[in-house]
Amino acid sequence: MHVLVTGSAGFIGFHLARRLLDDGHSVTGFDGMTSYYDVALKQDRLALLERSADFRFVQGMLEDRAALAGAARLREPEVIVHLGAQAGVRYSIEAPQTYIESNLMGSWSVLELAREIAPRHLLMASTSSVYGANAHIPFGECDRADEPLSLYAATKKGMEAMAHSYAHLFAIPSTMFRFFTVYGPWGRPDMALFKFVDAISAGRPIDVYGHGRMARDFTFIGDLIESIVRLIGIVPDEANRQTAVADTLSRNAPYRVVNIAGGHPTPLMDFIAAIEACLGRKAALNMMEMQPGDVPRTFADPALLKALTGYVPGTPVTAGVRAFVDWYRDYRRERVAMPLSIPA
Ligand SMILES: NC(=O)c1ccc[n+]([C@@H]2O[C@H](COP(=O)([O-])OP(=O)(O)OC[C@H]3O[C@@H](n4cnc5c(N)ncnc54)[C@H](O)[C@@H]3O)[C@@H](O)[C@H]2O)c1
């Protein structure tokens, strides 16, 4: 199978491309190598992928429809996995335009490409942030998600809606993933785990938002990739409509929304304790208010994922954090003074 992966130099795109190559597939990666965080980390991920003869890379911005079409022309993909995006809740307050460009215009480019080449399956990354401050837990895909608290969430919800219309109009089989705080080796320097490990290792205090009274349904990258790979093979269709659980399969389009997470929220302070245990150091805590746009808790209902794939993410945070810290130490040794160009 030939797969086009957007965001292939990013955290999740890199892991997915690597897994697909390991499984004997070929991959075209597409990424704008944006400077939201350290581009060297993206280049290092890319260099690993480029060791495979079955991997080709095109650098370009999603909004540039000609560049994206060019990547698809190298070899026409049977499957498109769209992971490229401007991620991050907090940065969407500072730099809203990049979210409109990357997540709305960029995702529309991907939809136009799918309209043109009619892939067997189009899969796109959405987020648990679309649930906003929903009080009803766990978050089920059929729950209302109409009150986003950040522009990031709003652009992802917009992407889902655009994709439904294209799935309906042009019969593009489409799956929207809702990811929940993904973490692990090669992770993002703007996310809590990377920032905490960095600060604690250097003896700096860590900023703990919401006074630590937050919880996240942390999902280990290996579990996320396993889920994605299984879902690639489950093309939305009446034949696989689930009846034992609430299914989001549209009555008007070959379109489905699926949470990917284990359904086990971890309190932030337990997550920090797991990091401290791995590093063998106590963290100095700088307790802060909740950040604007943030939500106190995420908690997935993984029933639909389980019904479709027979699989639910299950790596305990203690093991996942250990895997990250092992990678971080190796990576730091190789790039002793790795600069972290994280937006303030
Ligand atoms: N990591 C998480 O916890 C998480 C949670 C929910 C949703 N998601 C979503 O999953 C996807 C992958 O996230 P990630 O953690 O790998 O993020 P990432 O930032 O590491 O990867 C995204 C990649 O997209 C590229 N990119 C950004 N804007 C682009 C544009 N306009 N044109 C071309 N390339 C562009 C970046 O260079 C980057 O390499 C994103 O859609 C994100 O919104 C991630």
PDB file of all heavy atoms in Angstrom, residues 105-124:
ATOM      1  N   MET A 105      -7.323  26.191   5.968  1.00  0.00           N
ATOM      2  CA  MET A 105      -6.913  26.200   4.557  1.00  0.00           C
ATOM      3  C   MET A 105      -6.129  24.920   4.230  1.00  0.00           C
ATOM      4  O   MET A 105      -6.352  24.299   3.186  1.00  0.00           O
ATOM      5  CB  MET A 105      -6.031  27.419   4.262  1.00  0.00           C
ATOM      6  CG  MET A 105      -6.748  28.742   4.362  1.00  0.00           C
ATOM      7  SD  MET A 105      -8.114  28.875   3.183  1.00  0.00           S
ATOM      8  CE  MET A 105      -7.224  28.947   1.635  1.00  0.00           C
ATOM      9  N   GLY A 106      -5.227  24.547   5.113  1.00  0.00           N
ATOM     10  CA  GLY A 106      -4.403  23.360   4.862  1.00  0.00           C
ATOM     11  C   GLY A 106      -5.242  22.091   4.778  1.00  0.00           C
ATOM     12  O   GLY A 106      -5.049  21.249   3.888  1.00  0.00           O
ATOM     13  N   SER A 107      -6.202  21.948   5.660  1.00  0.00           N
ATOM     14  CA  SER A 107      -7.044  20.744   5.630  1.00  0.00           C
ATOM     15  C   SER A 107      -7.957  20.763   4.401  1.00  0.00           C
ATOM     16  O   SER A 107      -8.244  19.717   3.815  1.00  0.00           O
ATOM     17  CB  SER A 107      -7.893  20.644   6.908  1.00  0.00           C
ATOM     18  OG  SER A 107      -7.031  20.517   8.024  1.00  0.00           O
ATOM     19  N   TRP A 108      -8.383  21.961   4.002  1.00  0.00           N
ATOM     20  CA  TRP A 108      -9.195  22.060   2.790  1.00  0.00           C
ATOM     21  C   TRP A 108      -8.384  21.608   1.567  1.00  0.00           C
ATOM     22  O   TRP A 108      -8.900  20.912   0.688  1.00  0.00           O
ATOM     23  CB  TRP A 108      -9.705  23.492   2.608  1.00  0.00           C
ATOM     24  CG  TRP A 108     -10.408  23.693   1.319  1.00  0.00           C
ATOM     25  CD1 TRP A 108     -11.577  23.120   0.917  1.00  0.00           C
ATOM     26  CD2 TRP A 108      -9.968  24.501   0.226  1.00  0.00           C
ATOM     27  NE1 TRP A 108     -11.887  23.532  -0.357  1.00  0.00           N
ATOM     28  CE2 TRP A 108     -10.917  24.372  -0.803  1.00  0.00           C
ATOM     29  CE3 TRP A 108      -8.855  25.328   0.020  1.00  0.00           C
ATOM     30  CZ2 TRP A 108     -10.784  25.040  -2.030  1.00  0.00           C
ATOM     31  CZ3 TRP A 108      -8.732  25.988  -1.183  1.00  0.00           C
ATOM     32  CH2 TRP A 108      -9.695  25.838  -2.201  1.00  0.00           C
ATOM     33  N   SER A 109      -7.080  21.972   1.545  1.00  0.00           N
ATOM     34  CA  SER A 109      -6.206  21.492   0.454  1.00  0.00           C
ATOM     35  C   SER A 109      -6.193  19.974   0.402  1.00  0.00           C
ATOM     36  O   SER A 109      -6.229  19.382  -0.677  1.00  0.00           O
ATOM     37  CB  SER A 109      -4.757  21.921   0.673  1.00  0.00           C
ATOM     38  OG  SER A 109      -4.554  23.256   0.451  1.00  0.00           O
ATOM     39  N   VAL A 110      -6.113  19.365   1.571  1.00  0.00           N
ATOM     40  CA  VAL A 110      -6.079  17.896   1.633  1.00  0.00           C
ATOM     41  C   VAL A 110      -7.401  17.331   1.110  1.00  0.00           C
ATOM     42  O   VAL A 110      -7.428  16.347   0.358  1.00  0.00           O
ATOM     43  CB  VAL A 110      -5.798  17.411   3.081  1.00  0.00           C
ATOM     44  CG1 VAL A 110      -5.900  15.893   3.183  1.00  0.00           C
ATOM     45  CG2 VAL A 110      -4.419  17.888   3.548  1.00  0.00           C
ATOM     46  N   LEU A 111      -8.506  17.995   1.459  1.00  0.00           N
ATOM     47  CA  LEU A 111      -9.813  17.537   0.969  1.00  0.00           C
ATOM     48  C   LEU A 111      -9.916  17.672  -0.550  1.00  0.00           C
ATOM     49  O   LEU A 111     -10.439  16.785  -1.224  1.00  0.00           O
ATOM     50  CB  LEU A 111     -10.935  18.337   1.652  1.00  0.00           C
ATOM     51  CG  LEU A 111     -11.092  18.062   3.145  1.00  0.00           C
ATOM     52  CD1 LEU A 111     -12.063  19.055   3.781  1.00  0.00           C
ATOM     53  CD2 LEU A 111     -11.580  16.630   3.380  1.00  0.00           C
ATOM     54  N   GLU A 112      -9.405  18.777  -1.075  1.00  0.00           N
ATOM     55  CA  GLU A 112      -9.423  18.950  -2.537  1.00  0.00           C
ATOM     56  C   GLU A 112      -8.578  17.868  -3.219  1.00  0.00           C
ATOM     57  O   GLU A 112      -8.951  17.350  -4.267  1.00  0.00           O
ATOM     58  CB  GLU A 112      -8.902  20.349  -2.900  1.00  0.00           C
ATOM     59  CG  GLU A 112      -9.967  21.421  -2.801  1.00  0.00           C
ATOM     60  CD  GLU A 112     -11.063  21.231  -3.857  1.00  0.00           C
ATOM     61  OE1 GLU A 112     -10.749  21.071  -5.046  1.00  0.00           O
ATOM     62  OE2 GLU A 112     -12.239  21.231  -3.475  1.00  0.00           O
ATOM     63  N   LEU A 113      -7.448  17.551  -2.598  1.00  0.00           N
ATOM     64  CA  LEU A 113      -6.606  16.496  -3.162  1.00  0.00           C
ATOM     65  C   LEU A 113      -7.373  15.168  -3.166  1.00  0.00           C
ATOM     66  O   LEU A 113      -7.373  14.429  -4.162  1.00  0.00           O
ATOM     67  CB  LEU A 113      -5.304  16.358  -2.353  1.00  0.00           C
ATOM     68  CG  LEU A 113      -4.397  15.209  -2.787  1.00  0.00           C
ATOM     69  CD1 LEU A 113      -3.819  15.476  -4.176  1.00  0.00           C
ATOM     70  CD2 LEU A 113      -3.263  15.002  -1.778  1.00  0.00           C
ATOM     71  N   ALA A 114      -8.058  14.907  -2.057  1.00  0.00           N
ATOM     72  CA  ALA A 114      -8.814  13.649  -1.960  1.00  0.00           C
ATOM     73  C   ALA A 114      -9.951  13.623  -2.990  1.00  0.00           C
ATOM     74  O   ALA A 114     -10.243  12.589  -3.593  1.00  0.00           O
ATOM     75  CB  ALA A 114      -9.368  13.490  -0.546  1.00  0.00           C
ATOM     76  N   ARG A 115     -10.557  14.775  -3.203  1.00  0.00           N
ATOM     77  CA  ARG A 115     -11.623  14.862  -4.219  1.00  0.00           C
ATOM     78  C   ARG A 115     -11.067  14.482  -5.585  1.00  0.00           C
ATOM     79  O   ARG A 115     -11.711  13.786  -6.378  1.00  0.00           O
ATOM     80  CB  ARG A 115     -12.135  16.298  -4.220  1.00  0.00           C
ATOM     81  CG  ARG A 115     -13.101  16.629  -5.308  1.00  0.00           C
ATOM     82  CD  ARG A 115     -13.419  18.115  -5.221  1.00  0.00           C
ATOM     83  NE  ARG A 115     -14.375  18.534  -6.209  1.00  0.00           N
ATOM     84  CZ  ARG A 115     -14.880  19.757  -6.294  1.00  0.00           C
ATOM     85  NH1 ARG A 115     -14.533  20.675  -5.423  1.00  0.00           N
ATOM     86  NH2 ARG A 115     -15.746  20.077  -7.227  1.00  0.00           N
ATOM     87  N   GLU A 116      -9.826  14.930  -5.840  1.00  0.00           N
ATOM     88  CA  GLU A 116      -9.205  14.699  -7.145  1.00  0.00           C
ATOM     89  C   GLU A 116      -8.772  13.244  -7.317  1.00  0.00           C
ATOM     90  O   GLU A 116      -9.015  12.644  -8.359  1.00  0.00           O
ATOM     91  CB  GLU A 116      -7.988  15.627  -7.248  1.00  0.00           C
ATOM     92  CG  GLU A 116      -7.417  15.801  -8.628  1.00  0.00           C
ATOM     93  CD  GLU A 116      -6.140  16.633  -8.555  1.00  0.00           C
ATOM     94  OE1 GLU A 116      -6.140  17.674  -7.864  1.00  0.00           O
ATOM     95  OE2 GLU A 116      -5.136  16.214  -9.134  1.00  0.00           O
ATOM     96  N   ILE A 117      -8.138  12.672  -6.304  1.00  0.00           N
ATOM     97  CA  ILE A 117      -7.525  11.348  -6.515  1.00  0.00           C
ATOM     98  C   ILE A 117      -8.357  10.202  -5.944  1.00  0.00           C
ATOM     99  O   ILE A 117      -8.015   9.048  -6.162  1.00  0.00           O
ATOM    100  CB  ILE A 117      -6.076  11.278  -5.959  1.00  0.00           C
ATOM    101  CG1 ILE A 117      -6.061  11.369  -4.431  1.00  0.00           C
ATOM    102  CG2 ILE A 117      -5.200  12.364  -6.570  1.00  0.00           C
ATOM    103  CD1 ILE A 117      -4.671  11.123  -3.832  1.00  0.00           C
ATOM    104  N   ALA A 118      -9.416  10.502  -5.203  1.00  0.00           N
ATOM    105  CA  ALA A 118     -10.319   9.471  -4.664  1.00  0.00           C
ATOM    106  C   ALA A 118      -9.575   8.336  -3.960  1.00  0.00           C
ATOM    107  O   ALA A 118      -9.576   7.192  -4.427  1.00  0.00           O
ATOM    108  CB  ALA A 118     -11.200   8.907  -5.784  1.00  0.00           C
ATOM    109  N   PRO A 119      -8.938   8.632  -2.824  1.00  0.00           N
ATOM    110  CA  PRO A 119      -8.227   7.573  -2.098  1.00  0.00           C
ATOM    111  C   PRO A 119      -9.216   6.556  -1.516  1.00  0.00           C
ATOM    112  O   PRO A 119     -10.395   6.867  -1.327  1.00  0.00           O
ATOM    113  CB  PRO A 119      -7.531   8.327  -0.963  1.00  0.00           C
ATOM    114  CG  PRO A 119      -8.398   9.520  -0.719  1.00  0.00           C
ATOM    115  CD  PRO A 119      -8.952   9.899  -2.073  1.00  0.00           C
ATOM    116  N   ARG A 120      -8.690   5.380  -1.227  1.00  0.00           N
ATOM    117  CA  ARG A 120      -9.530   4.354  -0.596  1.00  0.00           C
ATOM    118  C   ARG A 120     -10.006   4.823   0.774  1.00  0.00           C
ATOM    119  O   ARG A 120     -11.121   4.533   1.197  1.00  0.00           O
ATOM    120  CB  ARG A 120      -8.700   3.064  -0.464  1.00  0.00           C
ATOM    121  CG  ARG A 120      -9.405   1.911   0.206  1.00  0.00           C
ATOM    122  CD  ARG A 120      -8.794   0.589  -0.239  1.00  0.00           C
ATOM    123  NE  ARG A 120      -7.369   0.489   0.037  1.00  0.00           N
ATOM    124  CZ  ARG A 120      -6.843   0.123   1.206  1.00  0.00           C
ATOM    125  NH1 ARG A 120      -7.629  -0.139   2.222  1.00  0.00           N
ATOM    126  NH2 ARG A 120      -5.545   0.032   1.365  1.00  0.00           N
ATOM    127  N   HIS A 121      -9.142   5.585   1.473  1.00  0.00           N
ATOM    128  CA  HIS A 121      -9.483   6.030   2.823  1.00  0.00           C
ATOM    129  C   HIS A 121      -8.695   7.302   3.133  1.00  0.00           C
ATOM    130  O   HIS A 121      -7.482   7.355   2.901  1.00  0.00           O
ATOM    131  CB  HIS A 121      -9.122   4.922   3.829  1.00  0.00           C
ATOM    132  CG  HIS A 121      -9.758   5.060   5.177  1.00  0.00           C
ATOM    133  ND1 HIS A 121      -9.555   4.140   6.194  1.00  0.00           N
ATOM    134  CD2 HIS A 121     -10.587   5.999   5.697  1.00  0.00           C
ATOM    135  CE1 HIS A 121     -10.236   4.505   7.256  1.00  0.00           C
ATOM    136  NE2 HIS A 121     -10.872   5.626   6.998  1.00  0.00           N
ATOM    137  N   LEU A 122      -9.385   8.298   3.645  1.00  0.00           N
ATOM    138  CA  LEU A 122      -8.753   9.535   4.120  1.00  0.00           C
ATOM    139  C   LEU A 122      -8.933   9.577   5.635  1.00  0.00           C
ATOM    140  O   LEU A 122     -10.064   9.455   6.122  1.00  0.00           O
ATOM    141  CB  LEU A 122      -9.436  10.747   3.478  1.00  0.00           C
ATOM    142  CG  LEU A 122      -9.129  12.125   4.089  1.00  0.00           C
ATOM    143  CD1 LEU A 122      -7.667  12.507   3.896  1.00  0.00           C
ATOM    144  CD2 LEU A 122     -10.034  13.202   3.456  1.00  0.00           C
ATOM    145  N   LEU A 123      -7.819   9.754   6.359  1.00  0.00           N
ATOM    146  CA  LEU A 123      -7.906   9.811   7.830  1.00  0.00           C
ATOM    147  C   LEU A 123      -7.277  11.131   8.281  1.00  0.00           C
ATOM    148  O   LEU A 123      -6.200  11.509   7.794  1.00  0.00           O
ATOM    149  CB  LEU A 123      -7.183   8.609   8.462  1.00  0.00           C
ATOM    150  CG  LEU A 123      -7.686   7.250   7.953  1.00  0.00           C
ATOM    151  CD1 LEU A 123      -6.730   6.677   6.906  1.00  0.00           C
ATOM    152  CD2 LEU A 123      -7.864   6.241   9.088  1.00  0.00           C
ATOM    153  N   MET A 124      -7.940  11.836   9.191  1.00  0.00           N
ATOM    154  CA  MET A 124      -7.481  13.172   9.582  1.00  0.00           C
ATOM    155  C   MET A 124      -7.426  13.289  11.106  1.00  0.00           C
ATOM    156  O   MET A 124      -8.298  12.753  11.803  1.00  0.00           O
ATOM    157  CB  MET A 124      -8.434  14.236   9.034  1.00  0.00           C
ATOM    158  CG  MET A 124      -8.654  14.141   7.530  1.00  0.00           C
ATOM    159  SD  MET A 124      -9.830  15.392   6.910  1.00  0.00           S
ATOM    160  CE  MET A 124      -8.731  16.498   6.061  1.00  0.00           C
TER     161      MET A 124
END
